[in-house]
Amino acid sequence: MEAFFYVVPLLMIGILGFAAFTVVRRAREVSSAWNSGLTAEARCLRVYTTTSGGGDSSVRTTLHHVYEFATREGRVVRFDETGGRGTTIEGDLVTVHYAADRPERATAKAPAPGKLAAGTGCLLAFFGTMALFCLGFMVVAHEIFDVADGFMP
């Protein structure tokens, strides 16, 4: 039974670590695309939304855009990006930023390195706080089990 109080927080810390890795990886991809200096004109092929939640929880809607562009080498690239501008509709032309070695990781978001750093930092601080809470929970659970063992004959 005691293992439950150690395994679940460790599992949560693992999930938080993976989430932090994913956030940092995407921030690096976007930053790399912005810093490469390569841009292209892309056409918005599709706009759609996904929803999650419902029932007893709130519904969350995410806006997706599918873009297609040609690199300087002539390679046609299609990518899906979440969280774009709500005013971009199918058929619109937008400027995308991409890195030469990874054009499929392009972004149609305008360069805003400060906003990217602030958002990434806030998410990492949140994940770190949650991980510290899990560690604190494990320490308190350990102390409670040690005290409880002293009461048992």
Side-chain angles (χ1 to χ4, degrees):
M1 182 64 180
E2 288 181 33
F4 179 77
F5 290 94
Y6 299 115
V7 172
V8 171
L10 284 175
L11 180 64
M12 290 174 64
I13 290 171
I15 292 169
L16 289 167
F18 179 74
F21 170 78
T22 303
V23 165
V24 169
R25 184 185 68 205
R26 182 59 185 157
R28 289 184 56 170
E29 289 171 353
V30 170
S31 180
S32 173
W34 287 339
N35 293 333
S36 72
L38 297 174
T39 61
E41 188 175 79
R43 180 172 301 279
C44 179
L45 300 178
R46 183 170 179 229
V47 179
Y48 65 98
T49 59
T50 56
T51 57
S52 59
D56 292 338
S57 63
S58 62
V59 175
R60 180 172 181 240
T61 303
T62 305
L63 182 64
H64 297 261
H65 292 90
V66 178
Y67 298 105
E68 185 175 76
F69 69 97
T71 64
R72 290 186 180 176
E73 295 79 30
R75 178 178 165 205
V76 177
V77 178
R78 183 178 292 186
F79 70 97
D80 185 325
E81 185 172 49
T82 61
R85 293 177 34 191
T87 57
T88 301
I89 59 173
E90 291 181 20
D92 282 356
L93 296 176
V94 297
T95 300
V96 294
H97 301 267
Y98 68 96
D101 57 337
R102 290 259 175 151
E104 64 279 355
R105 305 280 190 203
T107 182
K109 296 177 182 174
K115 186 176 176 182
L116 179 66
T120 302
C122 287
L123 279 172
L124 292 178
F126 174 74
F127 294 153
T129 302
M130 293 303 297
L132 286 175
F133 175 79
C134 290
L135 287 173
F137 178 84
M138 289 171 51
V139 168
V140 169
H142 179 73
E143 292 298 322
I144 289 172
F145 288 130
D146 274 352
V147 170
D149 285 342
F151 292 132
M152 301 297 268

